[in-house]
Amino acid sequence: MANTNLQFKTNYAVSSKIEPFYKGGKVQISKDEKYIFCTCGSRVNVLEISTGKIVHCVEHDDQEDITSFAVSCDDELLVTASRALLLKQWDWRQGTCTRSWKAIHTIPVASMTFDPSSTLLATGGCDATIKVWDVVKQYCTHNLKGSSGVVHLVQFHPDISRLQLFSSSVDCGVRLWDLRSSQCVCVLESHYSAVTSLSFSRDGHTMVSSGRDKICTVWDLKSRQAKRTVPVYEAVEGVVLLPEKTDLSQIGVKSKSLHFVTAGSKGVLRVWEASTARCVYTQSLPSTLTPSSEEDKEDDNPRSLTYLFHLPASSRLATVTAEHNILFYQLPSLTTQQQLVGYNDEVLDVKFLGKDDTHIVVATNSSQLKVFQLLTNSCQILYGHTDTVLTLDVFKKGSLFASCAKDRSVRVWQLDSDSGQVRCVAQGSSHTNAVGSIGCSRLKSSFVVTGSQDCTVKVWDLPAEFSGEEIHQLSPRSTEKAHDKDVNSVSVSPNDKLLASGSQDRTAKLWSLSGDGNLGLLGVFRGHRRGIWSVCFSPVDQILASSSADGTTKLWGLQDFSCLKTFEGHDASVLKVIFVSRGTQLLTSGSDGLVKLWTIKTNECVKTLDAHQDKVWGLHGSRKDDKMVTGSADSNITVWLDVTKVELAEEQAKQEEQILKQQELSNLLHEKKYLKALGLAISLDQPHTVLTVIKAIRQAEDGSDLLESTLLRLRADQKESLLRYCVVWNTNARNCLDAQAVLQVLLTHLPPEELLQFQGARTHLEGLIPYTERHMERIGRLQQASMFLNYMWQKMRVAGASSGMEQDEDMDTTPLAQPSFFLDKENARGGTDEREDRGDDGDRQQEEESGSEVKDEEEAEEISASKKASANDAREKKGETNGRRQSESEESSEEEEEDDHVVQVMRNLPISSAPRLQALS
């Protein structure tokens, strides 16, 4: 049992996240080819290409969407334009805005670009004007008018000595501006639709323009005439001239003439020879997509390309797709090197994949599956389903997984552990409605089970091995009408002999998986008040877990189908449940965006993890049980790491450090090194320990002087902590003397300006005033009472029965033979005459003494009798007054205890601190 307790998890921490970084708009790659800049609403995200992770982010304070941005050619400056008509200059590595100014444009900026020297910035506005800015001297150098409509493209000539600027607007022409004269030199007219991109040759004499009119035009910039018009038969969004002195024979470049690459609506890269207008190379499509189907969807093809970049340093091409994916191709073979997904839409399911959980496979709100490599965030997109993929499951080995979709089909995919490539190896279609749940066999990769919205459950047999490139066709070996409503979840037991199904009809059912292929109903689990979203078998016990839309998770016994435990904690539907920690704990995810960790034995929610803003549909644990992954409708995928052992080790190290510091503190106090002791106690941030040191200092010889010299040698931050501690100490009458002693030193030696610079000084001083006034009032009352007591003491004396016994300040409480207490009223009146009479006549003195002695005895007898009578009366009244006295004693016990302590310290209390505190506050 001890080992089991040690295996309990207590916390998970976010290890990595795959979050949306691009939702459409402009994309630019830095000159050093290390970073990608993408717009995402009101932010510009800076992505590191090697890791695929967001490393920097700049965002406008006004939350206005960014309409355009530009990065300087030296990668130092980033300028953004928003709908608020402001231009902002950023130090993007620090994420700080260094300058902002009005764009002068009357409506938002549509395009921006820097010149090769990173000095001039051109902005094209929706108001048909172009502004040129000197970002170094910070002024507008040109205001170019003459365009018609929105200026959606501006670009400087790569040779800065020419001082030429090219622009395009809705009139489909390319305008050439001479910045020396601020005039439009010419308009290059060839296109009949919007011009989308320009590309220049290395010598700067040739330019290629592309448009959505399905043509590309080669221009001679010397004569400013079109040399060649190349029909490309697709709307082109990007064009790049290939380098001339590079061997590109693998992509059809056989001659030294001009060649260029186009990217457009067909979603493939094509290489063209400018002199002959021939397409010499076409990138191949994925095997699951045929060219005919692609042509049918050309108008709304999700794989269509929107941007094309050439990265000369690494000899790569980069493209951006309409689905917000960024792909990198290696020249000269044009093989896919890396793919980054900018936006995942709603994540419906996510699973770990690979032998060591190196990949995750994700089902989003689309017909494609995405396989991410966790190390680089590089993604492989799997095509095959024709409608939204709903759920996934992975076989035990981790290289084989299955998916099902709204297209009523089920597919089996295989991951090549060497190359990391995934291909479809089997498919089947037999359901009459969308397939919403799937489960894989656990012992061997022998079958899959699917549940559908047609209320049926089907079992599909798999071949022993998948060989060749052919896709194996699956057929169900068994079909069973399982529920009255949609089947939301199916799960196979660890021994492959049982099947559980959960449905929208609020029931879960247990089935037997016999060798002959038939499904036999064993029992029904009833108890949920709403539909069941997920079912899962325990890996070690005969227990089934189910989660429901009623916000609860239940554990069921497989023997008698009874509910064993119910876990309540989610505020909405519980969408997923899995077992962790060898079946001793549960992980659940819900529509409230929360993931909860439960301990089954105690029915306790150990930890609530909040990292999503919407429904958490996907939840899966790794094989080593040290990680989990969650996917949400907020488009975020989060990988969590079990940090239980790490936190336990940190806690033990912290405790050991505390013990060592406590021992060091005791040694310092023993050696009377009070300054070091006080500094150590403050560093521990333990007010009680600091108070102990203060008391030790005050109890030493010359305590007040020692305290003053010690406190004044502290640092400013330590004095600030002392002031904060004094507020706490001052609330207790037992510690108020120490607090006031510290306050006296601080208020006496620190100027008010320095005190008020302490963090929260005003609040602390205001908190000190009421308690200080309360202590002063109590001391005043006690001083009055002590003065009356002193007066009474001076007027009273104690006499013994037989002799004048002297009494100490501590009165003897043993009963006297004849006790007598009285006020000596005659002392002041007759004391002088009695002394004179004793000097004149000795006989008279003896008579008076004897008479006085007799008189004292008589008075003593009378007093004794009176005391006995009063004692009897007191005993009779004792029963009546006992209850009242006891209650009064209890009510005043706390105040008397504080008063007794304050009596001891009232002479040393600096009463003058309250007015000074009031003045400071």
Side-chain angles (χ1 to χ4, degrees):
M1 292 301 293
N3 293 334
T4 303
N5 291 335
L6 290 176
Q7 293 173 359
F8 283 169
K9 303 181 188 299
T10 58
N11 194 14
Y12 284 87
V14 175
S15 173
S16 61
K17 292 186 73 172
I18 301 175
E19 53 188 336
F21 60 84
Y22 175 58
K23 296 182 180 180
K26 185 176 179 179
V27 176
Q28 187 172 345
I29 298 177
S30 63
K31 193 74 173 179
D32 59 7
E33 302 177 9
K34 292 181 179 179
Y35 302 100
I36 305 176
F37 296 79
C38 320
T39 55
C40 189
S42 63
R43 305 192 310 271
V44 173
N45 292 319
V46 184
L47 214 71
E48 190 175 19
I49 296 177
S50 59
T51 63
K53 292 180 172 57
I54 297 174
V55 291
H56 303 288
C57 178
V58 298
E59 184 172 8
H60 280 231
D61 296 333
D62 52 12
Q63 298 295 316
E64 289 285 348
D65 285 348
I66 293 175
T67 57
S68 185
F69 72 90
V71 182
S72 62
C73 294
D74 58 5
D75 295 337
E76 293 298 325
L77 300 178
L78 169 66
V79 178
T80 60
S82 69
R83 295 187 182 275
L85 305 182
L86 282 178
L87 294 176
K88 291 195 173 186
Q89 181 177 313
W90 302 83
D91 180 358
W92 57 270
R93 288 184 173 87
Q94 302 297 326
T96 56
C97 179
T98 57
R99 178 187 168 219
S100 63
W101 69 96
K102 291 185 178 180
I104 306 179
H105 293 279
T106 56
I107 46 181
V109 174
S111 57
M112 303 173 66
T113 187
F114 271 95
D115 77 324
S117 67
S118 302
T119 303
L120 298 179
L121 172 71
T123 59
C126 297
D127 56 359
T129 65
I130 301 171
K131 317 287 184 187
V132 181
W133 309 84
D134 190 324
V135 294
V136 177
K137 298 180 180 179
Q138 302 182 1
Y139 71 99
C140 181
T141 61
H142 300 78
N143 184 15
L144 307 178
K145 298 181 180 180
S147 302
S148 58
V150 177
V151 182
H152 59 266
L153 175 65
V154 287
Q155 192 166 340
F156 284 95
H157 193 282
D159 186 0
I160 188 58
S161 62
R162 298 191 183 191
L163 284 178
Q164 291 179 345
L165 176 68
F166 295 84
S167 70
S168 179
S169 58
V170 294
D171 60 0
C172 309
V174 179
R175 282 179 167 77
L176 173 58
W177 302 86
D178 184 4
L179 297 183
R180 290 185 176 89
S181 61
S182 298
Q183 298 295 324
C184 178
V185 178
C186 67
V187 179
L188 306 179
E189 295 181 343
S190 172
H191 293 278
Y192 299 96
S193 183
V195 178
T196 54
S197 68
L198 304 174
S199 182
F200 297 88
S201 62
R202 174 175 290 183
D203 58 12
H205 299 317
T206 305
M207 180 183 76
V208 179
S209 63
S210 65
R212 297 192 179 103
D213 53 2
K214 302 185 179 183
I215 64 170
C216 290
T217 305
V218 183
W219 301 90
D220 184 358
L221 295 182
K222 289 183 178 180
S223 63
R224 297 168 185 168
Q225 298 293 325
K227 293 171 60 177
R228 187 85 180 183
T229 299
V230 181
V232 295
Y233 309 107
E234 67 171 335
V236 181
E237 296 292 337
V239 61
V240 165
L241 281 167
L242 290 173
E244 299 174 1
K245 298 181 180 180
T246 306
D247 181 15
L248 300 174
S249 58
Q250 295 185 40
I251 55 175
V253 179
K254 304 296 184 182
S255 63
K256 295 183 179 180
S257 61
L258 196 67
H259 290 74
F260 59 88
V261 183
T262 59
S265 57
K266 290 187 176 181
V268 294
L269 297 177
R270 296 196 288 176
V271 182
W272 301 82
E273 187 177 10
S275 59
T276 61
R278 285 190 311 111
C279 177
V280 297
Y281 179 82
T282 301
Q283 187 184 21
S284 60
L285 291 168
S287 59
T288 53
L289 289 178
T290 61
S292 59
S293 65
E294 196 68 16
E295 289 175 2
D296 295 339
K297 297 182 179 180
E298 182 176 331
D299 294 336
D300 57 349
N301 179 17
R303 300 185 70 245
S304 63
L305 306 177
T306 58
Y307 287 94
L308 176 63
F309 306 98
H310 180 223
L311 310 180
S314 57
S315 186
R316 290 187 296 177
L317 293 177
T319 62
V320 181
T321 70
E323 286 191 326
H324 316 309
N325 303 325
I326 302 175
L327 294 92
F328 293 88
Y329 300 99
Q330 187 66 53
L331 289 173
S333 59
L334 276 186
T335 54
T336 304
Q337 185 191 49
Q338 188 178 2
Q339 183 168 202
L340 304 175
V341 176
Y343 184 62
N344 283 313
D345 204 354
E346 185 173 356
V347 179
L348 301 181
D349 203 1
V350 59
K351 302 287 183 183
F352 280 108
L353 192 63
K355 184 177 180 181
D356 297 319
D357 298 326
T358 55
H359 296 69
I360 57 172
V361 55
V362 182
T364 61
N365 194 19
S366 69
S367 59
Q368 295 89 37
L369 287 170
K370 298 181 176 69
V371 178
F372 290 90
Q373 186 180 7
L374 292 177
L375 188 61
T376 63
N377 277 7
S378 180
C379 176
Q380 180 182 353
I381 297 179
L382 308 180
Y383 297 89
H385 287 287
T386 58
D387 207 341
T388 303
V389 180
L390 296 176
T391 188
L392 307 159
D393 199 14
V394 182
F395 288 91
K396 184 177 181 180
K397 292 184 179 180
S399 60
L400 206 65
F401 65 96
S403 63
C404 58
K406 284 184 178 180
D407 60 4
R408 308 174 187 178
S409 69
V410 54
R411 284 179 177 264
V412 181
W413 310 78
Q414 189 172 36
L415 171 68
D416 188 340
S417 58
D418 297 329
S419 65
Q421 297 298 310
V422 180
R423 66 183 184 93
C424 180
V425 295
Q427 66 174 353
S429 180
S430 179
H431 284 284
T432 60
N433 209 331
V435 186
S437 58
I438 192 166
C440 298
S441 57
R442 297 304 171 203
L443 293 179
K444 296 180 180 180
S445 303
S446 56
F447 64 88
V448 295
V449 182
T450 57
S452 170
Q453 292 180 8
D454 60 11
C455 307
T456 64
V457 172
K458 293 179 182 290
V459 181
W460 311 72
D461 281 328
L462 300 182
E465 61 180 13
F466 300 98
S467 59
E469 298 294 331
E470 294 184 0
I471 299 177
H472 187 82
Q473 297 297 321
L474 302 178
S475 59
R477 79 177 186 196
S478 176
T479 301
E480 189 73 30
K481 173 72 165 59
H483 292 273
D484 297 331
K485 292 185 179 181
D486 300 355
V487 181
N488 291 333
S489 177
V490 291
S491 178
V492 180
S493 65
N495 60 2
D496 285 348
K497 293 183 178 180
L498 299 174
L499 170 69
S501 61
S503 169
Q504 203 66 29
D505 62 6
R506 299 179 292 179
T507 64
K509 294 185 178 181
L510 186 65
W511 308 81
S512 63
L513 286 168
S514 57
D516 57 2
N518 294 323
L519 287 173
L521 180 63
L522 298 178
V524 181
F525 305 96
R526 292 185 175 89
H528 283 293
R529 300 186 302 274
R530 298 186 68 180
I532 295 175
W533 279 113
S534 176
V535 291
C536 181
F537 281 99
S538 169
V540 293
D541 297 318
Q542 294 186 7
I543 291 175
L544 179 73
S546 64
S547 62
S548 168
D550 60 11
T552 65
T553 302
K554 292 180 180 290
L555 294 184
W556 310 85
L558 300 185
Q559 299 293 336
D560 54 1
F561 308 103
S562 63
C563 179
L564 305 178
K565 284 181 180 289
T566 300
F567 302 88
E568 297 181 358
H570 286 277
D571 295 330
S573 301
V574 185
L575 303 176
K576 209 82 168 182
V577 58
I578 60 173
F579 283 89
V580 292
S581 304
R582 299 182 182 178
T584 59
Q585 290 182 296
L586 293 174
L587 277 171
T588 59
S589 63
S591 298
D592 50 9
L594 301 178
V595 177
K596 290 181 178 289
L597 174 65
W598 308 82
T599 298
I600 295 177
K601 183 177 181 180
T602 61
N603 240 52
E604 177 188 4
C605 177
V606 179
K607 189 70 177 179
T608 298
L609 307 172
D610 186 5
H612 296 285
Q613 306 299 322
D614 209 338
K615 302 180 184 68
V616 183
W617 288 107
L619 174 65
H620 190 230
S622 63
R623 288 170 183 79
K624 294 181 180 179
D625 203 20
D626 59 344
K627 292 187 293 186
M628 72 166 175
V629 61
T630 56
S632 170
D634 61 5
S635 187
N636 285 323
I637 301 167
T638 305
V639 179
W640 304 80
L641 184 65
D642 179 16
V643 293
T644 303
K645 294 181 179 179
V646 176
E647 288 186 346
L648 183 60
E650 289 178 353
E651 185 65 26
Q652 290 177 348
K654 190 180 296 183
Q655 291 178 358
E656 292 175 0
E657 184 181 1
Q658 291 285 342
I659 293 172
L660 292 175
K661 287 186 176 181
Q662 291 287 353
Q663 183 61 45
E664 183 182 357
L665 181 63
S666 301
N667 296 339
L668 290 174
L669 288 176
H670 181 71
E671 297 170 3
K672 297 185 178 181
K673 296 180 179 179
Y674 296 117
L675 180 62
K676 290 185 178 180
L678 189 58
L680 179 60
I682 294 175
S683 68
L684 292 174
D685 196 21
Q686 296 178 355
H688 181 72
T689 306
V690 178
L691 180 61
T692 304
V693 178
I694 294 293
K695 290 180 180 293
I697 295 175
R698 297 186 68 250
Q699 290 173 0
E701 296 181 3
D702 299 329
S704 58
D705 296 336
L706 182 60
L707 178 65
E708 180 177 339
S709 61
T710 304
L711 294 184
L712 293 179
R713 292 168 65 186
L714 293 175
R715 300 192 308 269
D717 59 324
Q718 294 174 330
K719 294 176 183 176
E720 181 180 337
S721 300
L722 270 181
L723 180 61
R724 187 173 71 251
Y725 298 156
C726 284
V727 179
V728 181
W729 301 339
N730 197 48
T731 59
N732 192 336
R734 291 184 176 276
N735 304 326
C736 68
L737 176 62
D738 304 293
Q740 292 291 330
V742 174
L743 280 176
Q744 184 181 23
V745 176
L746 296 178
L747 297 179
T748 303
H749 294 85
L750 295 182
E753 296 79 7
E754 184 178 348
L755 275 174
L756 293 177
Q757 288 179 355
F758 291 166
Q759 184 178 2
R762 293 183 180 274
T763 305
H764 296 332
L765 295 174
E766 290 175 359
L768 284 166
I769 291 173
Y771 283 98
T772 303
E773 291 177 345
R774 176 181 174 184
H775 298 324
M776 290 175 61
E777 291 173 0
R778 184 183 296 112
I779 291 168
R781 294 195 303 268
L782 291 173
Q783 281 183 330
Q784 293 177 4
S786 64
M787 291 173 65
F788 178 73
L789 182 63
N790 187 39
Y791 173 77
M792 293 295 295
W793 180 258
Q794 295 297 330
K795 296 299 181 181
M796 294 176 66
R797 67 186 180 87
V798 181
S802 58
S803 62
M805 184 186 301
E806 294 183 357
Q807 302 256 343
D808 295 330
E809 288 183 5
D810 296 330
M811 186 179 295
D812 188 2
T813 58
T814 57
L816 299 174
Q818 292 179 341
S820 176
F821 300 89
F822 61 93
L823 289 175
D824 191 1
K825 296 181 180 179
E826 297 178 359
N827 185 33
R829 184 174 62 249
T832 305
D833 295 336
E834 184 179 354
R835 284 192 297 272
E836 292 176 353
D837 293 340
R838 279 201 300 267
D840 294 340
D841 192 354
D843 296 336
R844 186 180 175 185
Q845 181 179 1
Q846 293 178 355
E847 292 175 358
E848 289 178 354
E849 288 176 355
S850 61
S852 176
E853 189 174 328
V854 173
K855 185 177 180 180
D856 289 344
E857 292 177 357
E858 293 175 354
E859 288 179 354
E861 291 177 358
E862 293 177 1
I863 292 173
S864 177
S866 175
K867 285 182 133 187
K868 291 179 181 179
S870 62
N872 293 332
D873 294 338
R875 280 194 297 271
E876 294 175 357
K877 296 179 180 179
K878 183 176 181 180
E880 301 175 0
T881 59
N882 187 38
R884 185 174 66 255
R885 289 177 179 175
Q886 184 176 359
S887 61
E888 291 175 353
S889 175
E890 292 176 352
E891 293 174 357
S892 61
S893 60
E894 182 178 355
E895 185 173 355
E896 288 176 357
E897 185 179 354
E898 294 181 355
D899 292 347
D900 292 341
H901 181 73
V902 176
V903 167
Q904 300 174 11
V905 302
M906 62 186 178
R907 298 185 183 274
N908 298 323
L909 193 64
I911 302 175
S912 62
S913 61
R916 184 169 176 83
L917 287 173
Q918 291 175 342
L920 282 171
S921 64

